[in-house]
Amino acid sequence: MKLILAGILILIGLFVIYRGFTTLTFKARGETIPVLGFLIPTQDWSLYTFGAAFVLLGIANTASPLRAQKIMRRAAY
């Protein structure tokens, strides 16, 4: 069960990283774009800020199951 939950968290993290990269590389056209439930204005500053935030959150979400395993292994000793 823990392995399945870790796999799901890693997949969600990778998806958030992907959406962050697509937001970072988006060509600004129009008023706003919907990304992960947020309406992001299409100014360069907003795209860079939200894209970088999504990439960092995705990395944290991807690394959390791996860090939890390391902490649990360390606590067992």
Side-chain angles (χ1 to χ4, degrees):
M1 188 65 177
K2 290 181 185 179
L3 186 62
I4 293 171
L5 182 61
I8 290 172
L9 284 174
I10 289 172
L11 288 175
I12 290 172
L14 290 175
F15 178 72
V16 173
I17 291 171
Y18 166 74
R19 293 300 293 180
F21 277 126
T22 57
T23 303
L24 280 172
T25 59
F26 183 75
K27 300 286 184 200
R29 290 187 300 265
E31 297 275 328
T32 59
I33 57 169
V35 178
L36 297 174
F38 296 101
L39 286 176
I40 300 173
T42 55
Q43 290 93 16
D44 288 338
W45 183 84
S46 297
L47 292 174
Y48 295 148
T49 302
F50 280 97
F54 287 143
V55 168
L56 292 175
L57 287 174
I59 290 171
N61 200 19
T62 303
S64 64
L66 305 174
R67 292 220 13 111
Q69 284 179 348
K70 186 182 272 188
I71 291 170
M72 292 296 204
R73 213 177 299 139
R74 200 176 290 165
Y77 291 121

